[in-house]
Structure formats: structure tokens, C-alpha cells
Amino acid sequence: MEGKLIAAHPVDDETLRRVEERFTRYFGQSVTLQVELDRALMAGFVVTVNHLRFDYSVRAKLSAMKKYLLTQQS
Amino acid sequence: MLGLDIRLVLAYLINVAILFIFLRLVLYKPVRKFLKERELRFVAQREDIDAEKQAAQATKEQYDTLLQTAHDEGAAVIRDSRSQANQRAEAILSEARQQAVDIVERARREVAEERRVAKQAMHDEIANLAVEIAAKILEREVSAQDSKNIIEQFLHKERIG
């Protein structure tokens, strides 16, 4: 399976290998990730495999925080 | 014997009798008839006057009754009109009071709703601002090491998702 790893900062090969290994275990089949950079993520990363998205970015945390705050009644 | 002539006395008596008869026939009866007629006319006039007086009195009483009735009816109409006007005024006042209460209540609800909307808008703005400030700080403060730490945390999690 091929996927994409979008990161806020460059990812070294060893870290990439470990991430691929983690997703390989998760899906039960070999996962290969292509790395892209996106500074808008601020920090962290996003992995997309087989139309599934795993967001571990600070931008996602901020969005979740904003959504939580806006859904709270004043 | 007393120097009276019986024939002369008889002649006087006859003259007096004749005069009496004459006067009675010529003067007394017509005058009496005239007086009787006059009296009857007076009585008739008096009766007429009394009748007219009674009729006038009856008419006056009738008018008085009508006047009193009209007065009573007028008073009743005024009383009813006044009563209806008072009831109407009371109804208008009551309606106006209710409208005033409704207006105040509506205004209170509108103010409360506007306050709630404004509070919510302020809350949302504060939330947006807080997130925006946090984003600015994070953009400035986060480093490659932070990203690496996040990846390490992910790798040490037992479950994905």
C-alpha cells in the first residue's frame, strides 16, 4: 500500500521507516509513504493511506480546540 | 165719609191692576226670560269653561306625564350611556394595560435575546481570537524538534487513531 506523509518539518529516513512500520502493522500489509512538507501544519504530521487520513498535526489540534470552544455556550 | 170716592178708588185699583198685568206681560216676562237665558248662557259658558279647564288640566297632566317619562327615559339613556362609556373606558384601559405589559415583556425578551446573542458573539470572537493568538505563538515557537517529539509520541502509542 502506498500513502503520503505530510510533515511540518523534514523527516529523516529512520523516522520515516519507523512510521511506515507502524502503519504496516496497523493495516497488516506493507505500507510505503511519500514525504511532503507543509509548514501550515505548524508541527506534527498527517498520514494518508488508502483514503484514510491520520492527522497528528498542531493545526488539527488547534482546529479541534477552536471547534470545541465555539460549540460551548457562553 | 172720609171724603173718599169709592169709584175713584176702584178706578185706581183697576188702573193698578191693569198696569200690573201690562207690566207683567210686557216687561216682567221678557226681562225674566232674558235673565233666565242669560243665566243659562252663563251656566253653559261656565260648564264650557270648566270642561275646557278640565281638558286643559288633563292635557297638562298628560304632558306632565309625557315630560316625566321623557325625563326618566332621558335619564335612563344618560345612565346607560354613562355606564357603557365607563365599561368601554375600563375595557380600553384594561386592554392598554395588557398591551403595556406585553410590550414590556416583549422588550425584556428581546433585550435578553440580544444580550444572549451578543454574549455568544463575544464568546465566539474570544474563542477565535484565542485560537488565532495560539496559532501565531505556535507558528513562532514550534520547531523541528517539536515535530519530531510528536512523531515519537505517535510511535510510542499503542493504538493508531
Side-chain angles (χ1 to χ4, degrees):
Chain A
M1 296 173 75
E2 291 195 348
K4 206 178 339 178
L5 185 151
I6 306 167
H9 297 91
V11 179
D12 60 65
D13 292 342
E14 173 59 19
T15 305
L16 176 62
R17 189 191 58 75
R18 290 168 65 201
V19 172
E20 285 174 338
E21 201 176 278
R22 187 77 177 84
F23 277 98
T24 295
R25 277 210 312 274
Y26 177 75
F27 284 106
Q29 40 185 311
S30 177
V31 172
T32 307
L33 298 173
Q34 276 196 327
V35 178
E36 289 180 15
L37 282 180
D38 185 359
R39 294 293 296 172
L41 297 180
M42 288 188 271
F45 64 98
V46 177
V47 170
T48 308
V49 178
N50 204 18
H51 304 294
L52 291 173
R53 181 183 167 89
F54 303 88
D55 197 333
Y56 295 95
S57 68
V58 168
R59 187 178 65 184
K61 300 285 182 196
L62 277 176
S63 293
M65 186 175 85
K66 184 175 180 178
K67 192 175 175 185
Y68 170 77
L69 288 174
L70 290 178
T71 52
Q72 296 303 301
Q73 291 291 318
S74 59
Chain B
M1 96 189 104
L2 292 172
L4 290 174
D5 186 353
I6 192 75
R7 283 180 299 181
L8 196 56
V9 172
L10 277 173
Y12 275 123
L13 287 173
I14 290 167
N15 278 338
V16 169
I18 288 169
L19 185 62
F20 176 75
I21 291 166
F22 176 77
L23 288 174
R24 182 175 174 81
L25 289 174
V26 174
L27 196 61
Y28 178 73
K29 277 191 175 177
V31 168
R32 184 180 173 145
K33 186 182 174 189
F34 171 77
L35 290 173
K36 184 71 176 172
E37 286 175 354
R38 189 166 172 262
E39 187 183 347
L40 288 172
R41 203 165 53 246
F42 282 161
V43 168
Q45 282 179 349
R46 181 77 185 173
E47 285 174 352
D48 288 346
I49 288 169
D50 287 346
E52 284 178 6
K53 198 173 172 183
Q54 282 181 355
Q57 184 64 28
T59 304
K60 183 178 179 296
E61 286 173 359
Q62 193 177 353
Y63 284 156
D64 285 346
T65 303
L66 284 174
L67 198 63
Q68 186 60 41
T69 304
H71 184 266
D72 292 346
E73 285 177 357
V77 166
I78 289 170
R79 197 168 51 247
D80 289 349
S81 299
R82 191 171 290 157
S83 173
Q84 285 178 1
N86 284 337
Q87 286 178 358
R88 181 71 187 135
E90 188 56 40
I92 289 170
L93 272 175
S94 176
E95 194 176 341
R97 283 194 203 101
Q98 188 57 46
Q99 281 180 356
V101 168
D102 290 346
I103 287 168
V104 169
E105 184 56 34
R106 193 163 56 240
R108 194 172 289 150
R109 281 201 302 271
E110 284 175 3
V111 166
E113 177 61 15
E114 283 176 11
R115 186 181 293 166
R116 190 192 67 75
V117 168
K119 205 172 167 186
Q120 186 63 43
M122 192 180 291
H123 174 270
D124 292 351
E125 195 159 336
I126 288 170
N128 281 323
L129 198 60
V131 171
E132 208 171 301
I133 291 169
K136 294 280 181 196
I137 294 170
L138 285 169
E139 276 173 10
R140 199 179 59 221
E141 298 293 329
V142 293
S143 62
Q145 186 59 45
D146 293 319
S147 280
K148 195 170 177 58
N149 290 341
I150 290 170
I151 293 173
E152 286 301 323
Q153 283 173 9
F154 163 74
L155 289 172
H156 286 92
K157 279 170 70 173
E158 289 192 3
R159 295 184 61 189
I160 295 177

